[in-house]
Amino acid sequence: MSSTLFSQEWAELAGAAVLNVMWQGVVVGAFAALALFVTRRHSPNVRYALSCISLLFVLALLPLNLAQHMASATPVQPLAISEPSDDGADLGIPSEKTTLIAPATTQLIVNGAGASRPSLSVEEWYALCLPWVGRIWCLGIVLFGLYDLTGILAIRRLRLQSRAVDSDIAALAQRVKERVGVAFRVQVRWLEEAASARVTGWFRVVILLPASIATRLAPDELEAILAHEFAHIRRWDLWANTLQRVVETLLFFHPVVWWLSSTIRTERELCCDEIALCVCPDRARYV
């Protein structure tokens, strides 16, 4: 198989894998929906784990299908048709000559009365569309990758625009961090443009707080917000979300992937709420 990404061989393999993942992912999604329904009254940690495992199952289908098709790939043999020839016409004996035509092309049968109307079978239509499915999939990965890169650059710009919090807020954040159980260093900074608090950074973790809450929130309310964000850090949610974005980019075509991703994000927030309530036991105040 050619190493060129958009070669005909690779496009056919990719297209076949994508089509197989489509129906296989629906099966995984059906089992995931059943499991989530059964555990609807359980802890959000259980539903979060089930959703993550289901998403990883769908992701595993992609390399498995690619490997299977690569192992079973054989060169496509051209179709052979016979046409009458003039050789031996004087003896009244028909002879044949073989003409090679590529698969997935219109087969034109020539006879004495004229040509039949061009037509394609279902198998030929499948073979004709298969490479384009693979190419569209590769193009989609590139576009979604560029979108994610744009988001990363935007977050970097926001971090550069942020400013350090006051010493009393920094001391409060340190106390909350210790109570939640985060061991490594985390910066807390104000950001003018932020609409809500967020955690950024894979190696130098920073919590960006909206500057608008600096004067309108009581210390215990700010403590609740910080507890929720530190819960994300303790659970390694930022890194899990990055892997989730990779899966969404590779399997952008699958609705089951987007449904599972939405479920994971919902359950992730509920899991962090449970941790934050251990630090801020007043549920009404936390809400």
Side-chain angles (χ1 to χ4, degrees):
M1 185 181 70
S2 172
S3 60
T4 306
L5 182 61
F6 285 90
S7 67
Q8 182 74 8
E9 295 86 354
W10 165 253
E12 290 177 355
L13 289 173
V18 165
L19 294 179
N20 278 355
V21 171
M22 280 296 296
W23 71 264
Q24 293 168 356
V26 171
V27 175
V28 174
F31 279 103
L34 178 61
L36 291 173
F37 176 77
V38 172
T39 59
R40 64 189 183 279
R41 299 187 185 278
H42 287 65
S43 166
N45 288 284
V46 175
R47 298 192 298 272
Y48 177 79
L50 287 173
S51 302
C52 290
I53 292 172
S54 301
L55 187 64
L56 291 176
F57 262 113
V58 181
L59 175 62
L61 294 174
L62 185 60
L64 287 176
N65 278 281
L66 284 173
Q68 178 185 358
H69 286 290
M70 290 175 65
S72 61
T74 56
V76 178
Q77 299 295 332
L79 300 178
I81 62 172
S82 299
E83 294 180 350
S85 173
D86 292 336
D87 298 339
D90 295 336
L91 299 177
I93 302 174
S95 62
E96 296 180 346
K97 63 181 180 178
T98 300
T99 303
L100 298 181
I101 63 171
T105 58
T106 303
Q107 183 174 349
L108 190 62
I109 302 176
V110 181
N111 52 38
S116 65
R117 196 167 186 176
S119 63
L120 289 175
S121 66
V122 175
E123 293 79 5
E124 289 172 331
W125 272 114
Y126 176 80
L128 181 66
C129 297
L130 201 59
W132 289 104
V133 173
R135 293 186 179 103
I136 292 172
W137 174 56
C138 293
L139 179 61
I141 291 176
V142 173
L143 294 178
F144 273 85
L146 291 175
Y147 176 81
D148 290 338
L149 179 61
T150 302
I152 292 173
L153 295 177
I155 292 296
R156 179 177 176 82
R157 178 180 61 83
L158 292 178
R159 288 183 57 157
L160 293 175
Q161 294 176 351
S162 63
R163 56 185 174 84
V165 297
D166 299 334
S167 58
D168 55 338
I169 302 297
L172 174 64
Q174 181 64 28
R175 291 194 299 271
V176 174
K177 186 184 79 166
E178 294 173 355
R179 293 173 66 185
V180 173
V182 177
F184 50 89
R185 182 173 181 268
V186 178
Q187 295 186 53
V188 180
R189 301 178 67 85
W190 295 122
L191 181 63
E192 297 292 340
E193 300 180 14
S196 60
R198 65 177 65 188
V199 180
T200 67
W202 294 301
F203 305 106
R204 297 175 58 188
V205 183
V206 176
I207 296 177
L208 298 176
L209 295 175
S212 57
I213 69 174
T215 57
R216 63 183 178 86
L217 287 185
D220 56 343
E221 293 173 332
L222 183 58
E223 181 183 41
I225 293 176
L226 289 171
H228 183 92
E229 300 308 318
F230 277 115
H232 279 300
I233 299 171
R234 172 182 148 180
R235 288 170 35 86
W236 300 86
D237 284 339
L238 184 64
W239 296 267
N241 186 67
T242 302
L243 176 60
Q244 193 175 336
R245 288 299 303 166
V246 172
V247 177
E248 291 172 350
T249 299
L250 291 175
L251 300 175
F252 66 89
F253 57 88
H254 212 304
V256 170
V257 169
W258 293 104
W259 168 66
L260 287 173
S261 287
S262 176
T263 303
I264 287 172
R265 290 190 172 93
T266 300
E267 300 300 337
R268 177 184 293 149
E269 296 301 320
L270 295 177
C271 292
C272 291
D273 287 341
E274 284 193 343
I275 296 175
L277 285 171
C278 295
V279 178
C280 310
D282 189 347
R283 289 179 175 267
R285 193 69 167 172
Y286 179 77
V287 173

